[in-house]
Amino acid sequence: IPARTSANVPGIAASLPRGSLCVEAWAKVGAVGDAVIASSYGSGNNGAFLLRCQAGRVVFVNQVGGTFVEAAANGTTCANGQWHHFAGCRSVIGATLTNTVFLDGELKATATGTTASIGANAPVFFGGVTYGADGLGGAIDEVRISSTVRYPGSFTPARRLTSDPDTVALWHLDEGAGAT
């Protein structure tokens, strides 16, 4: 995906879970400073999820207006031109929301808030969205969205992801080019 561009999946918004979920992908991010891996954000600061590598920190966040729950870890090596596995999971129990973010299977950060911070589901974007000047100079592979907290703690990421009953969407991105 060229720098400052994106790919999107407009027809998936209605299928995205409003409760617990996990978003993961393999990505190779160049030194662009701010790279969106996967997101579902509408207009302004209204989003169901955003998984990114942002200036040396890995981030998983959701927000409505100014209310957000952001799991972020400073000092991560996520933009070095190497393949890394990124994962963001959201646990919803009652009105409590807990976001976790992982890099290469290692739990990097956790944040807790209320479910009132979950923004509206929107089309899924890989690479960049109109939310800020986000973009990705690099490559994305093996994207999966699940309707469960797939990773409660550190894990060993599979290089090729598989589908199971908790899989909402899975893209292997093996085509190499085009809009398929």
Side-chain angles (χ1 to χ4, degrees):
I1 299 175
R4 305 294 181 213
T5 62
S6 66
N8 71 357
V9 184
I12 194 173
S15 300
L16 294 174
R18 294 298 299 156
S20 296
L21 66 74
C22 193
V23 180
E24 62 186 306
W26 282 90
K28 180 169 51 172
V29 178
V32 296
D34 192 359
V36 171
I37 307 302
S39 68
S40 174
Y41 257 70
S43 61
N45 296 331
N46 185 4
F49 65 81
L50 175 64
L51 179 62
R52 75 188 331 165
C53 172
Q54 182 184 34
R57 63 186 206 135
V58 62
V59 177
F60 185 67
V61 64
N62 49 260
Q63 81 181 91
V64 175
T67 304
F68 62 92
V69 176
E70 178 184 73
N74 292 320
T76 58
T77 306
C78 57
N80 62 356
Q82 303 295 313
W83 283 103
H84 294 284
H85 182 268
F86 294 80
C89 296
R90 176 176 75 208
S91 169
V92 173
I93 299 173
T96 301
L97 172 142
T98 302
N99 281 339
T100 53
V101 66
F102 302 84
L103 184 65
D104 295 327
E106 184 180 333
L107 177 61
K108 293 293 187 179
T110 300
T112 301
T114 70
T115 56
S117 67
I118 301 174
N121 288 346
V124 171
F125 282 82
F126 307 137
V129 295
T130 56
Y131 178 69
D134 304 332
L136 172 70
I140 296 177
D141 194 21
E142 295 296 315
V143 180
R144 179 170 60 184
I145 300 173
S146 303
S147 61
T148 188
V149 175
R150 196 167 285 279
Y151 307 114
S154 294
F155 63 99
T156 301
R159 185 57 182 98
R160 183 158 179 95
L161 302 175
T162 59
S163 183
D164 61 26
D166 295 318
T167 302
V168 174
L170 172 63
W171 296 275
H172 293 297
L173 302 174
D174 292 338
E175 292 78 11
T180 303

